[in-house]
Amino acid sequence: MKNKVLQIHALLILAFIFASSGFIHSANAETAPVFKIKGIIVYSDRAMIKKESVVPVNKGENIIVITGVTAGMVDQSLQVSTKSKSNIKITDVKVERTYLHKTQLEKTQKLRARLDNLNELIKKNADEILALNSSIDFVKKVIPFSQNQKPTLTDLSSYMKFMEKSISENLEKIARIEVKQKKLREESKSVENELKNINSEQENSKDIIIHLYAGDDAREANIAVSYIVTMAGWHPQYDVRADSNSSKIDISYFALISQSTGEDWKDANVEISTAKPFIFSTLPELTAWNVDVYQYKPLQYQKSLAPTKGKLAKEFDEMKLEGSEMPEEVQVKAETTSFSFIMPWKLNIPSDNNPHKFLISASNKESKFEYYAVPKLSKYAYLKSSAQNPFSFPMLIGEMNVFLDGRFVNTSSINRTIVPDEAINLSLGVDEGIKVEKKLQKKFTEASGVFSKNTRIKYEYSIDVINGKGKVIDITLNDNFPVSRNEQIKTELESPKKEEAKISNDGIISWDMKLNPGEKRNISVKFDVEYPQNLKIIGLE
């Protein structure tokens, strides 16, 4: 019996020694570490997210689970790698659809509590405004003197001052509360949008399950994960500020980033890309364009150009993240077919589907300011400026806010891509200090021709241009005359002559003139149209 006890003790000691020396490890060890966002590439309609984590591992097979990944993850884009120098190999990667985890549910509860609190404050302020308005009405209606009392002028004056002061104070209180109400409603709307985005996911999320094998010397694994998500993107916006005194144009290039992935991007290194990774993964090919006699055929459906799933992962380059020393300005990186803007500071972009504005670049250059008028269409002169794309990268299609001398003018748009140094025509609004007016002076019809009777209509117009500004201006004036598209109709321009204005083949007349302060210029436009009497024509005024 004593020998048996000694044997058991010996076995226990040996087991302890083996376990301490690393020969015995638990198989299929499963961990759920926290993966932090290391970098993000934002495309026009999606984003690539890169995460990393250092995970403790045991010898043999390990299972690492990344929980709560957005349901908008594109499974085929998932890439997993390890930076560990020790003997660690990734053997399998899977994606499983799950439900939102505790963190997302807690976020939903916090948002709902915050929304309830905001709604309570909004109601409280509304009740206070109602009470103040009632007080104002009461002061207006009450009569402080009895019917038998005859108030003196001093009494009346004193009461009027009291009433004026009371109403004024209440109106000031109402104004202050209404400012608060506006901010509270805006905040409430933002919270509602966040809740709407979370609820639209129907409480679905995904888990990434990583199987890896660790060798004898492995104690931890540095794992990098990257994947594409939808419900994210960016688009450009421009602010153009023109200074008519210095003849300078300041153009600011912004990126508006929005995302509703269900995960807030906090302290993230962000790269904004103009690439479109999912458009035409294979080259589009034209087929023959045939013309034939129509014959009825059953309707056939053409196959759509869909991305090839097996090649999606190859569509994306590895992110080049900056270290601790970030450049002061946005770094522009020219790719083979696109541009990337590497933000020099870490960004915070909440998952609220609201646009968040970030400056990419700005430029200030001299520009030529001139006026443009078409008196046939408008009695106003328009200020315009011809500038060039001052950036080393294209200006993409986007909204443009235009300011002149510190005043907002209008919102226009860039409707095509503007390459570097390409001209941009900017409309800076109407200038009412310049008047243009076109009047019909004469219009008469006469018969012409000896053997065949023709009708000839003579037109005479007068255009007045007045510079009501206190400085010299350059102005381009445009008008037109009819151009015949039929050999039976003849048109002839009498005035202006070719040496007086630019006259195009399509009948556009253009004058470039310089007007001194207060100067008035009169221009005459004369032309006639001749055609057979029995011919009915269209297009004449």
Side-chain angles (χ1 to χ4, degrees):
M1 184 69 181
K2 186 176 180 181
N3 290 336
K4 204 169 204 180
V5 171
L6 291 173
Q7 288 176 2
I8 293 171
H9 278 235
L11 288 172
L12 289 172
I13 291 169
L14 285 172
F16 176 77
I17 293 171
F18 282 130
S20 301
S21 60
F23 286 95
I24 296 179
H25 292 263
S26 60
N28 296 323
E30 181 175 322
T31 58
V34 176
F35 277 71
K36 294 184 178 180
I37 294 177
K38 301 297 291 184
I40 297 169
I41 299 180
V42 184
Y43 300 100
S44 61
D45 61 347
R46 60 200 68 220
M48 173 187 275
I49 298 179
K50 185 172 183 179
K51 296 182 176 181
E52 287 186 10
S53 182
V54 177
V55 183
V57 295
N58 296 324
K59 178 186 175 182
E61 185 178 6
N62 293 258
I63 300 174
I64 299 166
V65 182
I66 306 175
T67 61
V69 179
T70 175
M73 179 182 74
V74 180
D75 296 356
Q76 296 82 7
S77 68
L78 176 62
Q79 297 182 77
V80 181
S81 61
T82 177
K83 297 181 178 180
S84 302
K85 295 181 180 179
S86 54
N87 185 19
I88 295 177
K89 293 181 180 179
I90 295 172
T91 58
D92 191 19
V93 177
K94 294 179 181 179
V95 177
E96 291 184 358
R97 184 175 291 276
T98 59
Y99 291 95
L100 282 179
H101 293 269
K102 183 180 179 182
T103 53
Q104 284 84 355
L105 293 175
E106 286 178 352
K107 181 179 179 180
T108 301
Q109 292 171 356
K110 288 180 180 179
L111 286 172
R112 285 174 180 162
R114 184 176 163 198
L115 183 61
D116 291 341
N117 184 49
L118 288 170
N119 288 334
E120 186 177 341
L121 289 174
I122 290 171
K123 185 179 180 303
K124 181 180 178 182
N125 286 337
D127 292 340
E128 192 171 347
I129 290 173
L130 182 63
L132 289 170
N133 281 323
S134 299
S135 178
I136 291 172
D137 291 338
F138 176 78
V139 171
K140 288 179 179 180
K141 293 176 182 179
V142 70
I143 300 175
F145 310 107
S146 63
Q147 293 181 352
N148 299 326
Q149 185 181 359
K150 293 182 179 180
T152 63
L153 186 61
T154 305
D155 294 334
L156 289 173
S157 176
S158 177
Y159 177 70
M160 291 298 294
K161 288 181 180 179
F162 163 76
M163 187 171 67
E164 182 181 352
K165 182 181 179 182
S166 177
I167 293 174
S168 176
E169 289 177 351
N170 285 340
L171 289 175
E172 287 180 4
K173 290 179 181 178
I174 290 173
R176 287 195 296 268
I177 295 171
E178 285 178 344
V179 171
K180 292 180 182 177
Q181 284 288 76
K182 184 180 179 182
K183 292 181 180 179
L184 288 171
R185 289 193 183 98
E186 289 174 353
E187 189 177 355
S188 174
K189 186 176 180 181
S190 176
V191 174
E192 286 177 351
N193 287 336
E194 286 191 65
L195 279 171
K196 184 178 179 181
N197 293 331
I198 292 176
N199 292 335
S200 66
E201 289 293 312
Q202 297 178 350
E203 295 193 343
N204 286 332
S205 65
K206 292 181 179 180
D207 285 352
I208 299 173
I209 303 171
I210 304 168
H211 293 257
L212 61 83
Y213 182 85
D216 294 342
D217 59 338
R219 291 293 179 269
E220 61 182 21
N222 189 345
I223 298 175
V225 176
S226 66
Y227 51 86
I228 292 289
V229 295
T230 57
M231 299 174 293
W234 80 281
H235 64 273
Q237 186 185 75
Y238 309 91
D239 280 1
V240 176
R241 299 182 183 276
D243 189 334
S244 61
N245 295 319
S246 62
S247 297
K248 287 188 176 181
I249 295 286
D250 182 275
I251 301 178
S252 297
Y253 195 137
F254 293 96
L256 270 63
I257 305 175
S258 60
Q259 62 104 352
S260 56
T261 61
E263 177 183 26
D264 294 337
W265 298 346
K266 295 180 179 179
D267 295 328
N269 293 320
V270 175
E271 181 177 333
I272 301 168
S273 176
T274 64
K276 299 184 182 298
F278 279 99
I279 294 183
F280 291 122
S281 61
T282 57
L283 292 176
E285 294 183 6
L286 281 175
T287 57
W289 185 353
N290 298 320
V291 179
D292 201 351
V293 177
Y294 172 76
Q295 294 180 357
Y296 174 77
K297 293 181 179 179
L299 187 63
Q300 296 180 349
Y301 295 94
Q302 187 179 9
K303 292 182 179 180
S304 61
L305 291 171
T308 306
K309 290 183 179 180
K311 296 182 179 181
L312 286 181
K314 298 179 182 180
E315 297 286 339
F316 310 105
D317 295 330
E318 286 291 323
M319 295 179 64
K320 296 180 180 179
L321 301 177
E322 297 294 330
S324 58
E325 295 183 2
M326 305 295 283
E328 293 182 359
E329 297 182 354
V330 173
Q331 180 184 345
V332 181
K333 184 172 65 175
E335 308 287 357
T336 305
T337 59
S338 62
F339 283 84
S340 290
F341 309 106
I342 302 175
M343 306 305 287
W345 51 84
K346 295 180 183 294
L347 303 186
N348 292 305
I349 306 172
S351 176
D352 56 6
N353 205 30
N354 292 323
H356 299 271
K357 193 173 182 178
F358 303 98
L359 179 65
I360 291 178
S361 187
S363 176
N364 184 282
K365 285 190 175 182
E366 290 188 0
S367 178
K368 183 181 179 182
F369 287 72
E370 60 181 357
Y371 290 92
Y372 173 83
V374 185
K376 183 176 182 179
L377 303 177
S378 174
K379 63 180 181 179
Y380 297 107
Y382 296 80
L383 181 62
K384 69 173 186 176
S385 174
S386 297
Q388 290 180 320
N389 177 2
F391 307 112
S392 61
F393 43 87
M395 296 176 69
L396 305 178
I397 295 172
E399 189 179 76
M400 178 183 289
N401 298 317
V402 181
F403 300 83
L404 174 63
D405 298 334
R407 295 179 293 104
F408 175 75
V409 175
N410 59 44
T411 297
S412 60
S413 62
I414 294 179
N415 52 19
R416 62 183 180 86
T417 299
I418 308 292
V419 299
D421 295 326
E422 185 178 356
I424 313 169
N425 290 320
L426 302 172
S427 175
L428 302 177
V430 171
D431 193 326
E432 296 186 359
I434 302 169
K435 300 295 182 183
V436 291
E437 187 176 12
K438 180 178 180 179
K439 292 181 180 179
L440 178 63
Q441 300 294 331
K442 295 180 183 179
K443 177 184 177 183
F444 58 90
T445 305
E446 62 182 13
S448 64
V450 178
F451 300 103
S452 61
K453 295 294 182 180
N454 287 346
T455 296
R456 177 182 292 170
I457 306 176
K458 290 184 171 290
Y459 294 87
E460 182 177 342
Y461 290 93
S462 175
I463 301 175
D464 290 327
V465 187
I466 303 173
N467 178 14
K469 302 182 72 66
K471 63 179 181 179
V472 178
I473 64 165
D474 293 314
I475 185 168
T476 299
L477 195 71
N478 281 1
D479 199 55
N480 65 351
F481 70 97
V483 176
S484 173
R485 296 301 180 196
N486 189 292
E487 61 182 7
Q488 298 183 75
I489 305 171
K490 297 179 180 180
T491 62
E492 183 178 357
L493 179 64
E494 181 181 342
S495 176
K497 303 298 184 183
K498 289 186 178 180
E499 60 272 15
E500 298 174 343
K502 298 175 185 177
I503 304 170
S504 66
N505 293 330
D506 56 357
I508 303 298
I509 310 170
S510 182
W511 296 266
D512 293 327
M513 59 184 72
K514 187 182 292 290
L515 295 179
N516 293 318
E519 183 180 354
K520 178 180 179 180
R521 190 81 58 89
N522 178 264
I523 298 171
S524 178
V525 179
K526 299 178 183 179
F527 59 87
D528 59 68
V529 181
E530 184 176 348
Y531 56 91
Q533 286 184 350
N534 60 352
L535 189 67
K536 185 177 180 180
I537 66 173
I538 58 172
L540 290 180
E541 295 178 344

